[in-house]
Amino acid sequence: MGLTFSVITDEVSGDLAAGIAFAREQGLRQVDIRSIGGRNFMSLEAAEQKAVAGQLRDAGLSIGCLATPLLKWSAPGRSAGSAGDQFGFDARGRSTQDIYEAAFEAAAILGTADLRIFSYLIYPQFQLADLEEPYGALLRLAERHGCTLHVENEPVCNILSVGDLDQLMQAWKHPRLKALLDIGNARHAGSPTSAEEIARVMPFVDMAHFKDYSATQKGYVAMGEGDIPYAALMAPVLSESRRRDIVLTIETHVPDDQPGATRRSLAGLRRLAGAM
């Protein structure tokens, strides 16, 4: 039981070696993987994926989660107002089912059983029932491979608030479908959350992303440098960590100061967790 701190390596640098060096400097035991050198991990050839996995293994780092772009695209027959950032993902002409299967193959190469997914880019009249077909297909693969899917609330996707996450989890209650809590994303989406709302979704949360948001700067900033009242929101997260392991991952989203903002964010998150 307790907290594990992590970071998405491309939030430090597109250069994997720099991400690894940062993790070791900060005493991290695990990292999340999304893109390498501007290319999404799922767009790399198998040999390249294995080389990345070898570098991480040699550095003594485990992989907490493969941050896939699954369902961060338009739903069939629907048009979306925003494309979102797929972090260098290239479908390479593959069918949706082939992409699904490739995600689990990539996770196996990295040695992780945890994959991040989304909920389609926002469109009018979205209903949770719209996710039955894609989530059903992904959960069947998750069961076959012994994996868990973590749905992140994302500003450009249909599940964008913490309340949306809670409704999704309550509707599905599948042991292999979890909520990937992102308080910063909810704030950016114009749906700030509360400690009470976080407490309701925490039983479904194994990992959470952390970033801060500044209305003045109209963008993400390092943890503790924005408007989000994390001191008032962290109690449910830390309370749950006394019962089981929770992974806290820095996803800075500050492109003009990646290593600096990520370093300050990790320090801020550690201080906050230690003070409560």
Side-chain angles (χ1 to χ4, degrees):
M1 294 183 290
L3 297 173
T4 297
F5 294 93
S6 182
V7 66
I8 303 176
T9 60
D10 63 18
E11 292 287 353
V12 177
S13 172
D15 176 31
L16 180 62
I20 288 173
F22 178 92
R24 298 183 70 175
E25 166 204 312
Q26 294 296 316
L28 300 177
R29 300 189 302 275
Q30 72 176 48
V31 294
D32 287 8
I33 293 296
R34 183 171 53 199
S35 65
I36 309 293
R39 297 170 64 202
N40 194 278
F41 189 78
M42 284 180 55
S43 295
L44 302 180
E45 298 294 338
E48 296 174 296
Q49 292 177 342
K50 290 175 183 177
V52 168
Q55 285 181 263
L56 294 162
R57 186 170 53 251
D58 291 345
L61 293 169
S62 63
I63 309 305
C65 184
L66 172 58
T68 82
L70 295 181
L71 301 183
K72 198 175 183 181
W73 52 62
S74 294
R78 304 278 188 168
S79 59
S82 175
D85 189 347
Q86 294 184 335
F87 291 89
F89 176 65
D90 180 1
R92 299 196 331 235
R94 294 174 288 184
S95 70
T96 298
Q97 184 63 31
D98 286 343
I99 292 169
Y100 289 170
E101 292 176 0
F104 289 90
E105 292 166 4
I109 288 172
L110 284 174
T112 182
D114 295 283
L115 296 85
R116 178 186 68 171
I117 66 171
F118 295 96
S119 53
Y120 287 136
L121 298 175
I122 293 173
Y123 58 84
Q125 286 81 53
F126 165 78
Q127 300 179 40
L128 290 181
D130 297 348
L131 296 172
E132 287 181 3
E133 188 280 326
Y135 280 15
L138 287 168
L139 284 167
R140 286 190 291 275
L141 285 167
E143 289 168 348
R144 184 190 309 169
H145 291 272
C147 292
T148 300
L149 304 172
H150 302 261
V151 183
E152 182 175 356
N153 60 291
E154 163 66 35
V156 299
C157 291
N158 290 296
I159 303 299
L160 60 85
S161 71
V162 178
D164 292 339
L165 270 183
D166 184 45
Q167 290 180 24
L168 177 68
M169 293 298 110
Q170 295 294 343
W172 281 77
K173 291 188 175 176
H174 192 291
R176 294 193 182 277
L177 189 68
K178 299 289 185 178
L180 205 171
L181 174 68
D182 195 314
I183 296 169
N185 277 358
R187 185 62 168 256
H188 189 201
S191 298
T193 189
S194 65
E196 292 75 19
E197 196 170 49
I198 293 170
R200 286 196 296 272
V201 81
M202 277 310 300
F204 303 100
V205 174
D206 287 345
M207 54 185 63
H209 283 176
F210 285 89
K211 58 175 72 74
D212 211 336
Y213 184 80
S214 168
T216 302
Q217 298 184 43
K218 298 181 180 179
Y220 293 116
V221 294
M223 281 283 297
E225 298 175 11
D227 307 326
I228 300 176
Y230 275 111
L233 298 175
M234 284 293 290
V237 178
L238 300 180
S239 176
E240 192 69 23
S241 75
R242 298 185 186 102
R243 290 185 281 273
R244 57 194 178 84
D245 292 335
I246 304 291
V247 179
L248 309 184
T249 301
I250 294 294
E251 186 187 28
T252 332
H253 279 4
V254 183
D256 58 348
D257 184 21
Q258 284 190 309
T262 301
R263 184 175 290 106
R264 298 196 304 278
S265 292
L266 185 56
L269 183 57
R270 281 170 160 162
R271 283 195 302 272
L272 188 61
M276 302 183 74

